[in-house]
Amino acid sequence: QVQLLESGGGVVQAGGSLRLSCAASGTISDTYDMGWYRQTPGKQREMVALSPATGPSRVVESAEGRFFISRDDATRTVDLQMNGLKPEDTGIYYCYADILVTGRRRGNYWGQGTQVTVSS
């Protein structure tokens, strides 16, 4: 059983900052891509930031220079530092991880989602 536990969402005024954290737990042999996606009403879930197991991280163009993703493979955590928040950043943020579960297949796992609301 694998769980992704998120924390750090909330309400903030435009221009403010929030830090989202996600920790993977369970019988995990290895983690590959880890990242954050965002869901807003009427839109498909979109990738906000992704940290692959190897290679450079990616951030959605609208958040470049404002959002920064970091991961710690020792603790199986991935964080998203969000600065200069804008009302259009509002949404439910989901942690994502590509995980190899011990004795099972590799698969995609999602957190329960955390609400981020940016007021103007």
Side-chain angles (χ1 to χ4, degrees):
Q1 191 80 1
V2 171
Q3 284 189 320
L4 299 182
L5 185 59
E6 302 147 336
S7 62
V11 180
V12 65
Q13 287 190 330
S17 297
L18 283 174
R19 187 176 184 89
L20 305 182
S21 295
C22 174
S25 63
T27 53
I28 299 171
S29 289
D30 210 348
T31 52
Y32 301 92
D33 290 358
M34 297 185 80
W36 292 90
Y37 284 68
R38 176 172 63 209
Q39 181 82 57
T40 53
K43 292 186 178 181
Q44 287 192 337
R45 190 176 296 187
E46 65 170 343
M47 187 274 290
V48 175
L50 193 69
S51 175
T54 58
S57 299
R58 302 200 304 270
V59 176
V60 66
E61 186 175 352
S62 62
E64 284 180 355
R66 300 188 298 121
F67 290 12
F68 302 92
I69 188 169
S70 59
R71 64 186 283 170
D72 184 334
D73 288 332
T75 58
R76 304 197 193 279
T77 56
V78 60
D79 292 348
L80 183 66
Q81 177 67 41
M82 304 186 292
N83 302 324
L85 282 160
K86 303 177 181 180
E88 51 263 41
D89 295 322
T90 294
I92 301 174
Y93 284 68
Y94 294 90
C95 177
Y96 159 81
D98 177 1
I99 291 173
L100 175 61
V101 179
T102 303
R104 296 184 63 183
R105 291 182 179 180
R106 177 175 168 178
N108 298 326
Y109 292 85
W110 297 89
Q112 79 282 2
T114 185
Q115 178 71 45
V116 171
T117 301
V118 184
S119 61
S120 57

